[in-house]
Amino acid sequence: VQLQASGGGLVQAGGSLRLSCAASGNILGINTMGWYRQTPGKQRDLVASVTDGGTTNYAESLKGRFTVARVNGQNTVYLQMNNLKPEDTAVYYCKLTEFQNGVRYDHWGQGTQVTVSS
């Protein structure tokens, strides 16, 4: 399974960005796609995720500003980020988690940089 993320960049505070991540390959199991972010020296934290059934999960602090959505037929997940703040600056990673025969597999994309200037 390969994940290709895109859409990062530089934006001023208060602006918006939309990230996209397309998964390809042999995805057989029940799966969740989502976004995580990481800043230097810190752990990678969940931003938002969505199951193939449409159930979403958000980091509490990001609810209301970030929206995750997916197109199942394309195994593509989007992250709409509004009212961006400098503290949202991070590398954003796409992740697909699938379960096959009771075994969990995690697949990561390459990361895309989001920089929010004040």
Side-chain angles (χ1 to χ4, degrees):
V1 175
Q2 294 81 41
L3 301 173
Q4 183 66 47
S6 61
L10 173 64
V11 64
Q12 288 188 330
S16 298
L17 281 175
R18 189 176 85 150
L19 306 183
S20 301
C21 176
S24 60
N26 207 17
I27 303 167
L28 299 178
I30 298 170
N31 67 82
T32 297
M33 295 187 75
W35 294 92
Y36 289 69
R37 67 185 186 183
Q38 187 173 27
T39 55
K42 296 192 175 182
Q43 68 180 22
R44 195 172 295 185
D45 292 326
L46 172 71
V47 173
S49 65
V50 54
T51 70
D52 52 5
T55 300
T56 57
N57 183 36
Y58 290 91
E60 192 66 31
S61 63
L62 300 177
K63 287 181 178 179
R65 294 195 298 122
F66 288 18
T67 302
V68 65
R70 68 183 286 174
V71 179
N72 277 333
Q74 300 172 7
N75 282 320
T76 300
V77 64
Y78 301 96
L79 182 69
Q80 178 67 41
M81 305 184 291
N82 297 328
N83 190 23
L84 283 161
K85 303 176 181 180
E87 53 263 41
D88 295 318
T89 296
V91 177
Y92 285 69
Y93 294 91
C94 175
K95 178 183 176 184
L96 184 149
T97 297
E98 61 174 336
F99 292 88
Q100 296 185 31
N101 299 318
V103 179
R104 170 176 168 159
Y105 299 88
D106 289 331
H107 309 282
W108 291 92
Q110 82 281 13
T112 185
Q113 176 71 45
V114 171
T115 303
V116 184
S117 63
S118 57

